[in-house]
Amino acid sequence: MSDEQDRPLRFLRSWALERRQRQAGDSDGEAHAPLAGYADFVLSFRHTGPAADAQAALEDVVKRLAHAGLSVEVRAAQCARRHGRSATFEAVAGQLLLFIECPRSRLEHEWSRSRLHDWLGGMVALRRGADGSLEVDSDAQDDPSRLIVHASDDPTAELISVSERQRLVQRLVTGAESEGGAAIGAADGVDAVVAMHDRRFNQRWLRHWGGKWLIDRQDLRRIREHFGDEVAMYFAFLQSYVLWLALPGAVGAAWWALGRSFSWQFGVLLVLWGVLFTETWARRQSDIATYWGVHGVERARESRRPEFRADRYVIDAATGERVPAFSGAQRWLRRLLGVPVVAALSLVMAVFIALIFALQTFLSEFYAGPFATVLGLAPVVLFSACLPAYTALCTRMAAALTNYENYEFEAEHAAQFTAKIFVFRFLQDQLYLFLTAWVFVPYRDVFGGWVHGAYSALSTDKAATLKFSATPAAELVQNMLTGFVVTSQLVGMATETGLPLVLRWWNSRSLAHASQVSTAAGNDHNHEASSISGTGNGHRHVLSNMLAVAPTGVDTWVESANDADAPADIQQQFVARVTEELALPEYTTFEDYAEMASQFGRVAFFSVAWPLAPLAALMNNWLELRTDAAKICSATRRPTPRRVESIGPWLDTLRFMCWLSSITNALLIYQFHSNCAFLPHADADAMQRFGRTSLSFALVVLLFSEHAFLAVRWAVTHVMASWPGAYARITERARAQSRRRWLDKAPSVLRDLAADTAGDLSQDAAGSLAADSDDASIGAGADWRAELELGCRAIACWGKPKAE
């Protein structure tokens, strides 16, 4: 069996030779398009049953991949074990690696099929004009046969980008068999379908971004070509969000320096800022989708989800094909069944957060007994230990409910999952602050009476262990908000990027040591090459070493002049590296969008209380651009490319938060602004302890602010609608060009009718019309002069007295 596993990997040698040819005469490889990687995808096959069942399952998977037109190579997964100063490679029991390659002819067919599917789905084919501007590909629109890709004379020419290739191959691997795919999934024993990281690209990417303040269109284009539209769209959104935070960040810093918290001017600015940001981003994402050629991709709908289960087949009204379908009534019934489940989980979370809040309030505001400082940390520890685990449970339940609803396409599935999970995230991120501002502060004396009464019944030493809450109301809200913003950003950055990098470094030491030991014997110069863990070259940064290009042995063999197959130890290093990458968590943009949405909520809701919140968010997000890039490169699997034309349901989430912020800002200003001329006067002591607490006046403020927000959003959307976006301009220009092309081929009579009748008709034509007419009153000639003279005489009589 070991001899079989040591067989040379065909694709590894082909990849090495191709990379060596591309780098000939170009040391950094920038002049050439990037390679797809060692293989298109790697499938992790696991089976815990009897050997005969595992072999039958593997045979079924390999046959289906072959029938889909894909090449397969199978190897046992391996890991590096360190023993003192030596290291060995061992096979991972129960796991096989299936390396997948897609031949060029199959890729050309799938690419043509994808373009034709887009055309049938209503997407507009675009191309670059002679002047570099984007225009509609009228030839392809009028003749869909032009969408078919034919084999080029140069078989090494790049057909499509790396991300587009991976998207198509992934669709072949997981797509339905009725659509030409292999329909490989978890039910077949395949627990991961992963593309391997291109470490040279990752290293150049991080080095390039590390030396820039902001990213530009070229940076987004490179990310899109390598990781796909979804990842590039996220970074485009994050960059736009960072730039838009500059205005409230600067104004908030000035307001904080002047000591102007709860300013109504800053509150109005925040609401207006939120509306402008969300509406301008809606326009910008549409323009980006147009420039990327994916506008309408969600309407076109790509392959169905592998998990979709049809209950019948119907005839597609547009194409006439027999397609699988699921009853809409059945899906709505399943959605209704999920409502009480989500409500119950949300109620439990709300009760838990309220109990933690009550405990923390008691310990910080009322308790004065022994170990008060230490006990004050107990709610934080309890909150940090229990709530993430319960949130993970809610997330799994939301995923199970969404899968049960059986959505056909990924966009619908993602929208419904986001809607469910938003409820849990909102409670987790915002409920604590809401309880502080609008439950505890207005009724702190009531809570104080309950606490003292309960403690009196349980203890006789009330005076020594209890106190009255004396923290000013506004300061209490500000302290809570400051703690939440700063803590959440620091903890999020540590758990999202820092901890995974440390764990990756720790786990990769054995593989790095094995790589160094196996290559030091044959190559004296190998000590200068960096290893994956950074154990060599101590003067270099740990992160840069962790993201080094490849195991030392593989890199040395690739760059050598030896065209022979890779030695067995180098192949073992490579397979061990792939096994390590498969063990990484999957990357999705969901967590990153959820983090930004939570932060946007805090900035929009509570910045009037702590004006430095936008500036803190700006600084965090500027770093987030880089840490998210490092996370993708080193702490997660390589993202699977997906085509998107927007940020999906997150835009509606941000718009909802903008609407809610118009209410929260107005209530906070009403409650805590001490000397606003148009707010009712309040007693100084009551204002310090509770703020304004009139519910009737608060309701008036709420209604006024909400209607003002709706009026502002209506005005902004209508003003922006007067400037058409890129897609509207391009399609309107294409329609005009199409009409002109049609008129060029039309009969002369139709062309004359389409022209300006008064200016384009010749005098001879007008005279002929008059001569041919039986009614002299409609002809041209002397008659019009007589009528003109008659009219002039009538005008001359205006104002003259009428003769007797």
Side-chain angles (χ1 to χ4, degrees), residues 285-334:
Q285 72 178 6
S286 176
D287 291 347
I288 289 174
T290 301
Y291 296 137
W292 290 354
V294 292
H295 197 287
V297 69
E298 295 176 3
R299 182 180 65 252
R301 295 185 173 183
E302 300 186 25
S303 296
R304 293 171 179 84
R305 298 175 58 249
E307 299 83 2
F308 173 69
R309 296 294 179 265
D311 61 355
R312 68 186 190 281
Y313 285 83
V314 298
I315 302 300
D316 191 296
T319 63
E321 297 177 334
R322 187 170 178 265
V323 296
F326 186 75
S327 170
Q330 184 73 9
R331 180 175 291 125
W332 269 104
L333 179 60
R334 295 186 178 189

Side-chain angles (χ1 to χ4, degrees), residues 15 19 38 197-201 203-204 207 529-532 540 544-552 554-555 559 577 581:
W15 178 88
R19 193 174 91 173
Y38 298 102
H197 276 292
D198 183 342
R199 296 182 179 275
R200 288 186 181 275
F201 175 87
Q203 192 178 40
R204 288 198 302 268
R207 187 186 302 118
S530 60
S531 67
I532 59 172
R540 301 181 64 183
S544 299
N545 289 330
M546 287 181 58
L547 302 175
V549 294
T552 306
V554 176
D555 229 17
E559 294 173 356
R577 161 65 66 187
E581 282 194 17

Side-chain angles (χ1 to χ4, degrees), residues 449-469:
W450 290 352
V451 169
H452 283 267
Y455 198 82
S456 298
L458 299 175
S459 173
T460 58
D461 193 16
K462 179 179 68 172
T465 55
L466 286 185
K467 61 181 180 180
F468 285 93
S469 175

Side-chain angles (χ1 to χ4, degrees), residues 677-699:
F678 52 82
L679 291 177
H681 178 72
D683 180 72
D685 182 65
M687 192 70 192
Q688 182 181 20
R689 288 183 53 78
F690 313 109
R692 297 181 182 88
T693 57
S694 172
L695 294 179
S696 58
F697 205 94
L699 181 60

Side-chain angles (χ1 to χ4, degrees), residues 109-440:
H109 177 271
E110 191 64 18
W111 176 228
S112 301
R113 179 176 175 272
S114 176
R115 298 182 70 190
L116 186 59
H117 181 274
D118 293 343
W119 181 83
L120 291 172
M123 290 182 62
V124 178
L126 302 176
R127 66 183 177 189
R128 291 287 175 184
D131 58 351
S133 62
L134 205 62
E135 63 182 23
V136 174
D137 188 349
S138 55
D139 295 333
Q141 287 295 113
D142 298 338
D143 184 8
S145 63
R146 296 177 180 269
L147 298 171
I148 299 176
V149 180
H150 301 283
S152 60
D153 296 332
D154 181 9
T156 63
E158 287 296 321
L159 180 64
I160 51 178
S161 66
V162 173
S163 62
E164 192 67 10
R165 176 189 178 99
Q166 289 183 352
R167 182 185 70 84
L168 296 173
V169 176
Q170 195 264 350
R171 191 166 71 175
L172 287 174
V173 173
T174 61
E177 293 184 80
S178 60
E179 299 177 354
I184 302 299
D188 304 300
V190 176
D191 61 351
V193 180
V194 182
M196 288 169 286
H197 276 292
D198 183 342
R199 296 182 179 275
R200 288 186 181 275
F201 175 87
N202 292 349
Q203 192 178 40
R204 288 198 302 268
W205 179 25
L206 294 181
R207 187 186 302 118
H208 179 64
W209 279 24
K212 299 183 66 174
W213 284 98
L214 297 172
I215 60 178
D216 53 30
R217 289 185 177 182
Q218 293 301 319
D219 297 322
L220 292 176
R221 180 184 60 81
R222 296 188 190 99
I223 297 304
R224 177 176 178 256
E225 291 178 350
H226 194 76
F227 293 116
D229 300 329
E230 186 177 31
V231 175
M233 184 67 77
Y234 165 71
F235 280 108
F237 167 77
L238 185 55
Q239 167 88 338
S240 180
Y241 182 35
V242 168
L243 294 176
W244 272 90
L245 279 170
L247 175 62
V251 176
W255 251 240
W256 178 80
L258 296 174
R260 299 183 61 181
S261 299
F262 302 104
S263 166
W264 69 267
Q265 295 94 335
F266 190 49
V268 171
L269 174 66
L270 284 172
V271 174
L272 183 61
W273 167 81
V275 174
L276 289 174
F277 168 64
T278 53
E279 298 306 322
T280 53
W281 170 252
R283 169 64 60 83
R284 176 163 169 72
Q285 72 178 6
S286 176
D287 291 347
I288 289 174
T290 301
Y291 296 137
W292 290 354
V294 292
H295 197 287
V297 69
E298 295 176 3
R299 182 180 65 252
R301 295 185 173 183
E302 300 186 25
S303 296
R304 293 171 179 84
R305 298 175 58 249
E307 299 83 2
F308 173 69
R309 296 294 179 265
D311 61 355
R312 68 186 190 281
Y313 285 83
V314 298
I315 302 300
D316 191 296
T319 63
E321 297 177 334
R322 187 170 178 265
V323 296
F326 186 75
S327 170
Q330 184 73 9
R331 180 175 291 125
W332 269 104
L333 179 60
R334 295 186 178 189
R335 291 176 66 177
L336 292 176
L337 292 176
V339 170
V341 177
V342 174
L345 292 172
S346 303
L347 180 61
V348 171
M349 176 177 285
V351 171
F352 175 75
I353 294 175
L355 291 176
I356 296 294
F357 170 79
L359 179 61
Q360 181 177 12
T361 303
F362 168 74
L363 293 174
S364 61
E365 294 296 315
F366 298 105
Y367 183 70
F371 308 107
T373 304
V374 176
L375 290 175
L377 299 176
V380 177
V381 174
L382 189 61
F383 186 91
S384 303
C386 299
L387 193 59
Y390 184 74
T391 303
L393 172 63
C394 294
T395 302
R396 289 193 296 271
M397 290 296 297
L401 289 173
T402 309
N403 288 331
Y404 177 66
E405 291 166 10
N406 196 26
Y407 291 99
E408 188 173 3
F409 298 100
E410 187 63 36
E412 298 172 337
H413 182 272
Q416 294 301 322
F417 176 72
T418 302
K420 293 180 179 65
I421 209 67
F422 171 73
V423 178
F424 306 127
R425 293 278 182 160
F426 185 84
L427 292 175
Q428 177 183 346
D429 297 331
Q430 314 297 344
L431 184 59
Y432 223 85
L433 297 170
F434 285 3
L435 290 175
T436 301
W438 294 303
V439 176
F440 173 71

